[in-house]
Amino acid sequence: MITQMVDLKNQYEKIKDEIDKAILECVSSTAYINGPAVETFSRNLEKYLSVKHVIPCANGTDALQIALMALDLEPGDEVIVPAFTFISTAEVVALLRLRPVMVDVDFETFNVTAENIEKAITPRTKVIMPVHLFGQACDMQSIMELAEKYGLYVIEDNAQSIGAECIFSDGTRKKAGTIGHIGTTSFFPSKNLGCYGDGGAIFTNDDLLAEKMRMIANHGQSKRYYHDYIGVNSRLDSIQAAILNVKLKYLDQYCMARRQAASFYDEAFSQIEEIQIPARAPYSTHVFHQYTLKVPSDKRDRLIEYLNAHGIPAMIYYPIPLNRQKAFAEFVSPDLNLPVTEKLCSSVVSLPMHTELSEDILRTITERVKRFFTT
Ligand SMILES: *Cc1c(COP(=O)(O)O)cnc(C)c1O
């Protein structure tokens, strides 16, 4: 392999001393559960995001589940989610006996639009869950206006876009994940801010929701052995928090490295008619969790085979839309038609994207892709 989809090894080598020291400190302190690193990291992330509350938890899926549990919803209440995303977003909805309503996305940005969301709103709709896919935020200004008009909650799934900024029409900027009533993220190793195991967090500016979500994440406890809600046991490990405390300092640098790699790719593919490079929306910065091309559907799978044969990994995110997953069959009407999502599932291909892509590696990858389309 010329490189991997994500190179965590070389990233670690560069900050090895700091990381090793943080882990050893945690191990020798024996404060493995809710140690000081968890508190420090949560406060540091609040500062980074300019958000009032960061509530750490065990993973990004739990973060979504805890967010929904805090909203006093009734079984059968509808939650609008994009059909083109990772399973978690809709999975937790169904798990809580709520009803996931899958909507189509925008072909250019891969993200849900207020227009598509509005078409799916019914009297039972209670929550909108936009997903900031591949490193770029949805148009949160339009989505929040819509939510206000219909009196809906907004939970931003920001597992893929931590560090991205939403840009509002008056020029103000806010970090993705801090605009809806609740935002969530994942620290899965391959995410833009990844730890060395599982981890996640919930964000909110609402004091009451924050208090309730903290309790839900901790067995619904107000104080030890007093349980006010049915909760879960979902914690961020102290060791993972210690690692994240080191990596958070480098997050902006990492975002920059990803953007530079993306610019290199863009430039290299600009003359190839059959390749559509990822669009940049005016309402968000891009932190390139993925660098995702659109290519003709009849060539996509052959392109991946060709790249793999030459030691270059390439992946399809996502090959099957949520509405066609067996697990969701009971929630999907047979006449549901999501043409953009279908088109994307057959034409997207993601190239290696991480913080350790040298020009040499990028040149090797782009030359191969170009050769496939020009010979
Ligand atoms: C990774 C991811 C999640 C889930 O995160 P985990 O930490 O793996 O549970 C949720 N939503 C999206 C969009 C993701 O990419």
Side-chain angles (χ1 to χ4, degrees):
M1 279 290 172
I2 286 149
T3 186
Q4 292 157 293
M5 286 301 288
V6 181
D7 180 351
L8 296 173
K9 176 81 177 150
N10 285 305
Q11 190 191 61
Y12 163 65
E13 291 297 337
K14 289 185 185 156
I15 53 170
K16 182 180 186 317
D17 291 348
E18 271 182 285
I19 293 275
D20 292 0
K21 184 163 165 282
I23 294 173
L24 275 177
E25 256 172 37
C26 190
V27 172
S28 59
S29 78
T30 74
Y32 305 135
I33 300 290
N34 290 334
V38 178
E39 180 70 17
T40 310
F41 171 64
S42 303
R43 300 296 83 79
N44 286 342
L45 189 56
E46 283 166 2
K47 266 183 233 136
Y48 176 83
L49 295 171
S50 300
V51 73
K52 234 168 138 187
H53 306 280
V54 163
I55 298 143
C57 65
N59 57 68
T61 308
D62 275 8
L64 290 163
Q65 182 183 328
I66 293 162
L68 281 170
M69 287 171 79
L71 295 182
D72 291 324
L73 303 171
E74 303 283 343
D77 281 349
E78 293 175 3
V79 179
I80 296 176
V81 298
F84 190 66
T85 179
F86 184 62
I87 190 83
S88 298
T89 325
E91 187 179 33
V92 293
V93 173
L95 188 71
L96 294 172
R97 301 271 170 249
L98 307 167
R99 197 176 174 80
V101 174
M102 292 139 192
V103 300
D104 216 351
V105 297
D106 171 52
F107 188 68
E108 299 305 325
T109 60
F110 311 109
N111 277 330
V112 274
T113 59
E115 200 187 344
N116 288 351
I117 293 168
E118 186 161 24
K119 283 187 244 164
I121 293 175
T122 75
R124 291 227 68 170
T125 307
K126 294 288 157 59
V127 186
I128 305 169
M129 289 173 93
V131 179
H132 304 317
L133 207 68
F134 298 160
Q136 188 166 240
C138 302
D139 180 354
M140 284 308 292
Q141 182 161 350
S142 310
I143 291 174
M144 292 313 290
E145 280 167 13
L146 188 71
E148 202 153 311
K149 180 170 155 195
Y150 290 92
L152 306 175
Y153 285 111
V154 175
I155 300 173
E156 295 170 72
D157 182 346
N158 197 31
Q160 299 191 5
S161 301
I162 197 157
E165 286 183 320
C166 295
I167 304 163
F168 292 81
S169 54
D170 65 0
T172 55
R173 288 168 173 243
K174 285 183 188 165
K175 286 274 178 4
T178 68
I179 297 143
H181 302 88
I182 305 173
T184 66
T185 201
S186 163
F187 305 122
F188 187 81
S190 63
K191 302 281 155 105
N192 286 28
L193 178 60
C195 58
Y196 295 172
D198 277 305
I202 310 164
F203 323 131
T204 188
N205 287 305
D206 183 314
D207 297 341
L208 291 176
L209 279 176
E211 196 191 347
K212 190 168 176 188
M213 291 191 291
R214 262 183 227 290
M215 286 164 64
I216 291 171
N218 183 26
H219 300 293
Q221 287 186 118
S222 50
K223 57 183 181 184
R224 191 174 269 190
Y225 305 126
Y226 289 76
H227 304 270
D228 298 3
Y229 303 106
I230 301 293
V232 293
N233 174 23
S234 187
R235 290 185 283 248
L236 179 66
D237 271 24
S238 300
I239 290 179
Q240 300 306 337
I243 291 163
L244 288 164
N245 252 327
V246 175
K247 290 188 71 177
L248 179 59
K249 289 188 290 181
Y250 297 97
L251 180 56
D252 283 339
Q253 216 171 296
Y254 290 159
C255 290
M256 193 61 78
R258 288 169 178 276
R259 279 192 199 111
Q260 274 167 2
S263 302
F264 191 103
Y265 279 140
D266 283 351
E267 173 75 27
F269 302 142
S270 62
Q271 303 301 321
I272 314 261
E273 225 169 274
E274 289 180 296
I275 296 181
Q276 270 180 272
I277 61 172
R280 304 332 190 248
Y283 44 75
S284 174
T285 63
H286 207 318
V287 294
F288 290 98
H289 176 58
Q290 300 296 345
Y291 184 87
T292 303
L293 300 174
K294 283 171 289 210
V295 301
S297 300
D298 59 338
K299 294 194 176 168
R300 197 262 313 263
D301 293 353
R302 268 192 294 134
L303 168 64
I304 294 173
E305 270 171 46
Y306 175 82
L307 293 175
N308 290 171
H310 289 91
I312 297 166
M315 297 290 286
I316 303 170
Y317 304 119
Y318 296 91
I320 302 175
L322 295 190
N323 54 298
R324 283 204 284 113
Q325 298 288 352
K326 238 198 253 171
F328 293 131
E330 66 175 292
F331 300 110
V332 180
S333 101
D335 56 357
L336 181 68
N337 181 23
L338 305 175
V340 176
T341 297
E342 290 297 340
K343 177 96 181 98
L344 287 174
C345 288
S346 71
S347 57
V348 289
V349 52
S350 296
L351 297 179
M353 175 50 77
H354 51 78
T355 59
E356 311 302 313
L357 284 163
S358 65
E359 285 211 359
D360 264 1
I361 297 171
L362 287 166
R363 201 168 293 117
T364 309
I365 297 169
T366 52
E367 287 307 315
R368 268 297 157 204
V369 175
K370 284 199 270 187
R371 190 175 306 179
F372 175 85
F373 283 104
T374 52
T375 58

